[in-house]
Amino acid sequence: MSREAPYAGLDPERVLDAVDAAGHAPDGRLLALPSYENRVYQVGLDAGGFVVVKFYRPGRWSDAAIAEEHDFAAELAAAELPVVAPLSCAGHTLLRRGGFRYTLYPRRGGHAPVLESADTLAWLGRLLARVHEIGARQAFRARGALDVESFLRQPAAAVLASGLLPAPRERVYRAAIARLDAVLGARFDAVAPRRLRLHGDCHAGNVLWAESGPALVDFDDARMGPAVQDLWMLATDAIAMEQLLEGYEQMRPFDRAELALVPALRALRQVHHAGWIAARWHDPAFPRAFPFAGEARWWDEHLADLEALIDSLE
């Protein structure tokens, strides 16, 4: 494999071979699931049913960081929380085959939650409070934290190094990032939130809803951070946030000073998203999936959004 095409050697035969090597005989059915950072497939089994196999992007996480992801999911599952945790194969959850690291998961059915429902939001709030109660028991050591360094400075450096940002916009972009750096640092210092182990990317696409209620999937972005990070992407407005917190505070106290971090977290997510595209532009899947990132108009819109967020924060 190469940096330019990290999954070039991952053809269907190798996917099926990896599942077979893990002790699950595939029947040949293979469906690629939406994922850009990793490669994820649903595979049918001779014994009936399906497994989901995730191949980790080379070089992104260390083995220790992946082990922390798996251990956290397993810890939540052991506490009978509805999460989709990795399957153990001969005592291991992180497997290797053909130069790739991969993990198997059980397939879980469900659909996206209806976030317009107060009952749904309260249920999700209770679930996240239970996740955070366990997440607060210890710290990640290898997975890092949601902070200005990793979600602002590093992504901005990737944008500037990528050649995607039109040269006439570089000065404006650098100035915007510098302003954001100052204002976000001040905002986090003022709130001084307690950091705990989080899901990290808790949006509607990572929640599966069934008759039994919600289940959390995809802990690939689990990090240390403030509790509100797992709430704000599910709340479309202030009323929805209150409905989430109504459920959350039934199970665990919430420091409402963290609500002041929501605009800051939104800004970090926007910068990180642009930096993520820029850092992955060498992967052939990214220009195909995000062609707008090669257009000056999109960067103008990105800068306008950043300026508006900075004004609101200042």
Side-chain angles (χ1 to χ4, degrees):
M1 75 192 73
S2 69
R3 179 181 180 275
E4 287 70 27
Y7 297 105
L10 190 62
D11 55 26
E13 183 178 351
R14 289 196 177 186
V15 172
L16 297 176
D17 175 68
V19 172
D20 187 53
H24 298 267
D27 64 8
R29 289 176 292 169
L30 179 68
L31 175 66
L33 301 178
S35 179
Y36 297 111
E37 187 65 7
N38 304 299
R39 293 295 182 269
V40 183
Y41 303 89
Q42 177 181 284
V43 178
L45 302 179
D46 276 344
F50 299 85
V51 292
V52 173
V53 55
K54 176 171 77 173
F55 292 86
Y56 284 91
R57 177 174 288 273
R60 182 182 181 222
W61 291 115
S62 67
D63 287 359
I66 295 173
E68 287 187 338
E69 173 204 342
H70 293 183
D71 290 347
F72 185 37
E75 187 179 355
L76 296 171
E80 299 185 347
L81 271 65
V83 302
V84 178
L87 294 171
S88 178
C89 302
H92 301 282
T93 55
L94 179 60
L95 310 173
R96 287 174 171 78
R97 190 76 169 177
F100 290 98
R101 296 175 300 171
Y102 68 103
T103 298
L104 299 184
Y105 294 87
R107 189 186 70 161
R108 178 83 175 243
H111 56 81
V114 179
L115 297 181
E116 293 75 22
S117 164
D119 289 342
T120 294
L121 289 169
W123 197 334
L124 285 169
R126 290 190 293 272
L127 172 57
L128 288 170
R130 296 173 66 198
V131 170
H132 292 172
E133 192 66 28
I134 292 171
R137 292 177 182 173
Q138 57 183 298
F140 287 137
R141 299 188 181 279
R143 295 193 67 82
L146 195 164
D147 54 25
V148 171
E149 176 62 30
S150 55
F151 275 72
L152 179 75
R153 296 171 192 153
Q154 292 176 11
V159 167
L160 291 166
S162 70
L164 290 173
L165 181 69
R169 277 80 166 176
E170 285 190 13
R171 181 183 59 80
V172 177
Y173 182 79
R174 290 179 186 275
I177 294 300
R179 287 176 65 199
L180 260 179
D181 199 333
V183 72
L184 294 181
R187 180 66 61 97
F188 275 94
D189 288 345
V191 175
R194 181 187 177 189
R195 297 183 183 273
L196 46 87
R197 291 178 296 169
L198 303 170
H199 180 281
D201 193 28
C202 195
H203 55 74
N206 283 333
V207 179
L208 289 177
W209 199 279
E211 289 185 4
S212 58
L216 296 179
V217 301
D218 193 6
F219 282 75
D220 195 64
D221 288 295
R223 293 175 183 268
M224 299 295 293
V228 73
Q229 167 65 14
D230 277 350
L231 299 172
W232 74 268
M233 281 182 280
L234 296 171
T236 55
D237 54 30
I239 294 174
M241 178 62 82
E242 281 300 321
Q243 292 165 341
L244 270 171
L245 290 177
E246 180 180 348
Y248 191 101
E249 291 177 328
Q250 291 173 12
M251 310 297 293
R252 183 176 190 267
F254 177 78
D255 180 3
R256 287 182 173 251
E258 288 191 15
L259 293 176
L261 293 177
V262 172
L265 294 169
R266 185 175 292 113
L268 286 177
R269 187 170 180 81
Q270 289 200 16
V271 174
H272 184 266
H273 180 69
W276 173 65
I277 294 173
R280 299 287 186 254
W281 198 249
H282 58 270
D283 183 332
F286 276 70
R288 290 196 301 267
F290 308 103
F292 50 80
E295 301 174 3
R297 180 177 61 180
W298 185 77
W299 290 101
D300 287 340
E301 293 171 354
H302 178 56
L303 281 166
D305 289 343
L306 290 184
E307 294 287 352
L309 280 169
I310 295 166
D311 289 343
S312 68
L313 284 163
E314 288 181 337

